[in-house]
Every structure is written in structure tokens, then in C-alpha cells.
Amino acid sequence: PMIVTGTAGKGAMTGGILGFLGGIGLFLFGMDVMTRALRDVAGRRLRDWLGRFTQTTLRGVITGAVATAIVQSSSAVTVMTIGFVGAGLIGFSQSLGVLYGANIGTTLLGWIVMVVGVKLQIGIVAMPVLLLASLLALLGRGIWERLGRLLAGSSLLFIGLDVMQAAMAGAEMALHPDLLPKDGFAGRLLLVVLGAGLVAMLQSSGAGVAVVLVMIGAGQLTFGQGAALVGGMNIGTTVTGLLASLGGSRPMRMTALANLLFNLITALILLPALPLIEAAWGGRDPQFALVLFHSGFNVLGTLIFLPMTSRFVRLVQAMVPERRAAGLAAPLERGLLEEEATALAAAERVARAIANEIALALSHALSRETDLRPLAALPGRVEPALAALSDWLSRLRIAPDHAAAQARFAALLHVLDHLSRFLARAGEQDRIGRLVTDPELARAARVLVVAMQRPLPPMRYARLDRLINARGQRIRRARLSHEAVSDLRPVLALTDALRWLERVADHAERIAHYLDIAAEKRG
């Protein structure tokens, strides 16, 4: 390579490198603004797609590809998927299809950058668009403000790309393909590692691919070197998912590990084929060849893994050991708070688990073979979970214009309140003793037991609540009339037990009602 001499040459080289770094910064910032705006615009529908259309691995692939193409961030879709797995909205095996598809969807940005940014060079056009978009973002409200941020992010992305290309022209004598590792398996493997490290730092495979495209266009990388770097960048994108799963549940950790293994194995499978691909292409338009390779090897990786998904599931399950049970609040993973939908789903799941735990303990206590042991153990199991759920909801922030999420959040607050009262009622064991020893009251109590053991829809709970209240009133009138001149203490004790049963039925009905609202607003 030619050596640059003289102060002017060194100044041009330094300016070129600094300009290139600034261009990367503009590209990254534009990418972040654009991705956040896209997620705000399509966020709820995107979450609905991920939750609904992943019943099979193939449908998961399509959903993951479309979702990533929409928000232009495989990391965002991966983290969202890990959160959905942690919240119990989708299973681990279902998540694999989404991960496969996310790797395909993320390649769309490479095509946009290559066609619109590199070939058409619309950075100059993006300047006035940036002004209009900034005004729209600053002055607009709701959807217009999000649209302004979307256009502003897109403009910054293409302006940054133009800056990078201009800077590379100033530094072209300082960089050369010979400065990078040579051809051969070891050299390509080193480039894969460098690509993974670059994207792990940039946190954007799109930015990494853009950098490689610019350097190939400036003659500072060969197609083979760029392809090896891009293969490593796929591995680097998994870092975000790994960080999101730290300290998470076993399904979350399995999902993050599966994402890493998929990208790592795909890159290693295709690495030996790079010389053949490069020779077959014959050096024609290396930038087009790179984006074609990026899409092709992700599609090929998916086709390789799809038939062996069940075996892949068993492999990952064997690699991630079970942890000691973390209790009823286990789904409340820290990383889920970033996404309101997954955070609300985790809270709903914990609330249902707490309600079932209290109901099961009461059903044992009110059955014919009275067993108070589950009731005695209840505070130790349920109180920490209630405290964790209360803390979780207090830290959750819902966007003011997300009406469905606000309604769901309010319903869960009502559930939390009734669960606390439900637990307090379950601790009043003296009243339970009076219920099970009175034949007439025992029948009413066992009706409630059946409902608790087989959860009913809210309408059935409301009907049961009314029946218990009506039966309680009849029993009170009959006993008070029969024993009007007798000792009132047994009657008062009976009335107290009846009131307890009515309150328990009320709480059961309210919990079922508000959980039903939470499920309905989930969409």
C-alpha cells in the first residue's frame, strides 16, 4: 500500500478517520431515533403478532422476519421475544422461529443502505427533509410527532452514510485490504471475531453492514473480507439478548443462548464456503454481492435449522440447568420492565398464580377432610409474592396515550388489592372451623370450594357470589327467628362465619372480574 507523507497527507488522513467516526455516530444516532419511532408506531401490533402468530416454527419465522423488517432492529425483536418467553406468553420452542426470522428481517436494512444510500446517494436530499422532520417532531403531537422522529432518524442515517463515504475518500491511501487478515480459514475466522466485536460495541448490525459497504466501495475491503465481517456481525447482535437474559428465568436464558448458537453455527457452516462464493461471483459489483450474501446465508441458516428445531430445543435445554424454584414471583424478571406489554403480562401471570395458591389452600381447609397445613404455609409463600407484585407495578410506567395498557394496569391494581384482602381472610382459621362443623354452612362453603378448584368465568363467579349471599341471609333469618329467646352467642358466631364466607366469595368474584379485564385488554 502507498505510504502517506507530509503534514498535509497526515492531516487529510486524520480528518478522514475522524470524519468516518463521526459518520458512524450520525448513522447510529439516526438508527436509534428511527427504530424507537418505528417501535412506538407499530409497537402494540408488533407485540400482538409475536404473541398470536407463533404457534408453529414456520409461522414464527415469518412473524419474526416481518416484525424485524418493520422496526429495523433484530435486537429489539430478540429482546421482546425473550421478554415474551419470560412472561409466559410464548414457549421456548415457539420463540426459535421468531429468532430465525429476525435474522432474515434484519438484512432488509442492508438492501436499503446499498440501493438508496450507496448507489443513489440521497444524503443531500436528506438535509432539507431533516429540517422538516425536526419541526414535525418538535411541534407535532401523537402520530405526527412519531412520524417526525421517524423521518428525522431516517435522514440522519443517510446523512451519516454520506459522511462515511466522503471520509473514506480522504483516507483511502491509509487503509488497504492487505492490512487485514489474509485469505484462509484462520484469517476469515479472525475477521468473524472482529465483526462480532464491532457490532457488540455498536449495538447495531445495520451500522456494521453500512460500514462494510462503504469500505468495499472505497476499495479498502474485498468481498471475502466483508462477508466474513458480516458473518461475525450476526453473532455480535446476540449480545443484547444475552444481557437481557442475565439473572432471568431458565426459559429466558435458553432463548438467549439459542439465539447465540444459531448465529454462531450458521457463520461457522458458511465460513469454508466463502472462497467458492467469491470465485463464483467473479468480482462483479461487490457491494451488491455482500447484501445478497447477507440475506442468503441467513435464509440458508434458517433452512438448515428448521427441520432440526426439536433436537435444537433438547440441546439448549440440556445446556441450561434448572435453578432452584424462585417462588410465585419468578416471572417478574428485571429485564421485562422495559416493555410495558411483557411487564403487564408477567404481573398478570403472578396475580393468577397467587389467586390459585390462596384458593387451593382454602379448598383444602373447607373440604370434608379438613387440612389446614396448606393454609398455615400460605403466608410464607404468598406474602413475598404480593410484595414483589406491588413493587413491580409501582415501577411500571405506562405511556399516557396507551389506553388499553392503562386499563390493564388499573385492573391489575384492583386485583392486587383484592388478593391482599383474600389472603387476610384466609388467615381467619377460627371462622373456617365454624363453617365446616355446621352442616348447612358447610354445603355453601363447599360450593365455593368447587369454584376455587375449577376456576369459572367472572359471570359464573358473580352468580355464585349472589347465591351465597342469598343463602346466608336465609340462614340468618331462620336461626335468629328460631333462637330469638335463646343464647345469642352461637348465632352471632354463626353470623360472623357467614359474613366471612360472603367476603371470600366477593373477593373471588372481584379477582376473576379484574383478571378477565386484564386478559381482554391484552388483546
Side-chain angles (χ1 to χ4, degrees):
M2 186 180 297
I3 299 174
V4 179
T5 58
T7 305
K10 290 180 181 179
M13 182 183 73
T14 303
I17 292 173
L18 293 177
F20 184 70
L21 294 176
I24 294 176
L26 277 172
F27 189 97
L28 283 173
F29 184 68
M31 185 76 183
D32 182 66
V33 172
M34 183 184 74
T35 300
R36 289 177 184 273
L38 283 168
R39 288 172 65 184
D40 285 346
V41 171
R44 181 171 179 181
R45 290 181 181 176
L46 179 64
R47 288 187 286 267
D48 289 344
W49 289 343
L50 288 177
R52 291 180 181 180
F53 303 117
T54 55
Q55 288 84 354
T56 66
T57 308
L58 183 58
R59 291 180 69 179
V61 170
I62 297 169
T63 303
V66 172
T68 307
I70 289 172
V71 299
Q72 281 306 304
S73 174
S74 60
S75 296
V77 173
T78 299
V79 169
M80 197 180 295
T81 303
I82 291 171
F84 273 40
V85 172
L89 294 179
I90 62 175
F92 166 58
S93 59
Q94 292 173 288
S95 73
L96 294 182
V98 180
L99 299 180
Y100 300 160
N103 282 277
I104 297 172
T106 195
T107 65
L108 176 64
L109 183 62
W111 288 99
I112 295 172
V113 167
M114 192 271 295
V115 174
V116 181
V118 175
K119 300 296 184 184
L120 299 182
Q121 296 184 342
I122 66 165
I124 298 298
V125 178
M127 290 287 190
V129 174
L130 178 60
L131 173 62
L132 295 175
S134 300
L135 291 173
L136 193 59
L138 290 171
L139 303 177
R141 293 291 181 270
I143 189 66
W144 292 107
E145 183 265 340
R146 296 189 185 103
L147 181 60
R149 286 192 288 116
L150 174 60
L151 289 174
S154 304
S155 301
L156 285 171
L157 186 150
F158 289 114
I159 292 169
L161 196 61
D162 258 15
V163 172
M164 279 192 280
Q165 292 181 92
M168 279 293 95
E172 60 185 359
M173 292 184 294
L175 297 172
H176 194 275
D178 290 344
L179 297 177
L180 292 172
K182 304 297 185 292
D183 281 343
F185 186 81
R188 298 288 167 89
L189 187 60
L190 181 56
L191 286 170
V192 167
V193 174
L194 289 173
L198 177 64
V199 170
M201 289 188 295
L202 296 180
Q203 286 296 295
S204 171
S205 61
V209 172
V211 168
V212 172
L213 284 170
V214 170
M215 294 183 74
I216 287 178
Q220 292 153 352
L221 285 178
T222 66
F223 163 75
Q225 290 170 326
L229 285 168
V230 167
M233 289 171 184
N234 264 34
I235 301 171
T237 59
T238 65
V239 171
T240 306
L242 290 170
L243 291 174
S245 70
L246 287 179
S249 62
R250 182 175 180 243
M252 292 176 70
R253 288 180 285 122
M254 288 193 303
T255 306
L257 177 61
N259 190 37
L260 171 63
L261 290 176
F262 168 71
N263 285 283
L264 181 62
I265 294 170
T266 301
L268 293 178
I269 287 174
L270 293 171
L271 196 59
L274 275 180
L276 297 174
I277 296 170
E278 191 170 13
W281 191 254
R284 298 184 302 274
D285 197 348
Q287 291 175 319
F288 179 80
L290 184 76
V291 292
L292 185 62
F293 167 79
H294 190 207
S295 297
F297 95 82
N298 278 294
V299 171
L300 185 58
T302 298
L303 294 176
I304 291 171
F305 271 80
L306 266 177
M308 49 182 283
T309 295
S310 57
R311 294 179 184 177
F312 188 38
V313 167
R314 290 194 293 271
L315 171 66
V316 176
Q317 286 173 336
M319 294 176 69
V320 182
E322 289 273 12
R323 284 180 178 174
R324 188 168 55 86
L328 297 173
L332 303 180
E333 304 288 353
R334 292 191 305 272
L336 302 186
L337 281 169
E338 297 297 323
E339 287 286 342
E340 65 181 34
T342 51
L344 288 168
E348 183 185 336
R349 186 179 176 192
V350 171
R352 289 184 186 277
I354 293 172
N356 290 338
E357 191 77 12
I358 299 173
L360 182 63
L362 280 173
S363 69
H364 282 291
L366 290 168
S367 63
R368 288 186 176 86
E369 299 80 19
T370 303
D371 184 1
L372 297 177
R373 289 174 299 177
L375 214 56
L378 199 58
R381 282 184 55 77
V382 170
E383 285 177 358
L386 275 174
L389 180 59
S390 176
D391 177 65
W392 180 266
L393 292 174
S394 70
R395 289 191 289 153
L396 186 55
R397 297 292 177 266
I398 308 296
D401 58 339
H402 293 181
Q406 290 281 2
R408 193 176 177 195
F409 179 72
L412 289 171
L413 289 177
H414 283 291
V415 171
L416 177 65
D417 177 48
H418 283 285
L419 283 174
S420 300
R421 300 178 188 218
F422 199 21
L423 178 63
R425 298 289 178 190
E428 298 170 341
Q429 296 186 19
D430 53 334
R431 293 175 171 87
I432 296 173
R434 296 189 194 105
L435 284 173
V436 297
T437 55
D438 186 290
E440 214 170 349
L441 286 178
R443 283 196 297 273
R446 286 181 188 122
V447 172
L448 185 60
V449 167
V450 171
M452 290 177 180
Q453 289 174 327
R454 300 175 183 176
L456 301 173
M459 288 179 61
R460 296 282 299 279
Y461 266 112
R463 188 183 307 166
L464 175 61
D465 185 27
R466 289 195 298 270
L467 288 173
I468 287 176
N469 287 330
R471 178 172 290 187
Q473 290 176 8
R474 286 198 302 272
I475 292 173
R476 281 195 199 93
R477 286 195 296 269
R479 296 294 175 87
L480 286 170
S481 174
H482 180 69
E483 301 182 23
V485 293
S486 307
D487 186 3
L488 288 178
R489 283 177 298 179
V491 179
L492 293 176
L494 172 76
T495 302
D496 189 43
L498 270 171
R499 188 178 295 110
W500 179 90
L501 181 60
E502 290 165 357
R503 295 293 181 270
V504 167
D506 288 342
H507 292 314
E509 185 273 327
R510 290 286 86 190
I511 289 168
H513 170 72
Y514 285 115
L515 282 176
D516 188 60
I517 291 177
E520 179 185 339
K521 295 301 180 182
R522 187 197 314 155

